Amino acid sequence: MSKERARRRAVREAEQERERAARARRTARRQWRRSVVRRLTPRLRRGRTGRLRRHSRGERAAIVLFTAVAVVGIWSFVDDLALRLALVVLLLLVLPAIVVIALDRR
């Protein structure tokens, strides 16, 4: 009877060892796939990049809307083409200063 128990225990331990080896192979394969995916996907920088702060989506929409309204106003109220172009270029040059003055949260 003890020989039969020893044989069954040996069979059971062999089966557990096969399952353990299969689990280890699956884990190694999963880690390898994750490392490949990590290497291939570009990394996104989180947080602040640079000295300027970021604006919220609403603030950016307001900036674009204000600029579009100003350009449409320039094109509809100014007759001379050279003056139109000069005013649009001036608006685009001064726009960062306007944004800092208008949206500064300090």
Side-chain angles (χ1 to χ4, degrees), residues 62-98:
I63 292 167
V64 170
L65 186 66
F66 167 76
T67 306
V69 167
V71 168
V72 167
I74 289 171
W75 279 89
S76 61
F77 293 121
V78 177
D79 294 330
D80 188 25
L81 180 63
L83 184 58
R84 283 180 183 171
L85 294 176
L87 287 174
V88 169
V89 169
L90 182 67
L91 173 70
L92 294 178
L93 286 174
V94 175
L95 186 64
I98 294 171

Side-chain angles (χ1 to χ4, degrees), residues 22-82:
R23 194 174 322 123
R25 282 193 305 271
R26 281 194 306 265
T27 303
R29 207 172 323 144
R30 188 178 313 126
Q31 288 176 347
W32 179 79
R33 277 193 306 256
R34 285 180 181 169
S35 69
V36 167
V37 167
R38 256 190 226 113
R39 276 195 309 254
L40 294 178
T41 55
R43 288 182 177 81
L44 296 176
R45 285 198 264 178
R46 299 281 182 204
R48 289 179 43 170
T49 57
R51 293 180 53 130
L52 298 177
R53 63 183 170 82
R54 293 188 175 210
H55 299 288
S56 69
R57 184 174 290 169
E59 289 174 338
R60 285 186 297 226
I63 292 167
V64 170
L65 186 66
F66 167 76
T67 306
V69 167
V71 168
V72 167
I74 289 171
W75 279 89
S76 61
F77 293 121
V78 177
D79 294 330
D80 188 25
L81 180 63

Side-chain angles (χ1 to χ4, degrees), residues 9-28:
R9 184 176 62 237
V11 169
R12 189 173 57 242
E13 287 175 355
E15 180 65 27
Q16 288 174 348
E17 184 59 36
R18 279 194 297 272
E19 290 175 4
R20 198 175 300 124
R23 194 174 322 123
R25 282 193 305 271
R26 281 194 306 265
T27 303

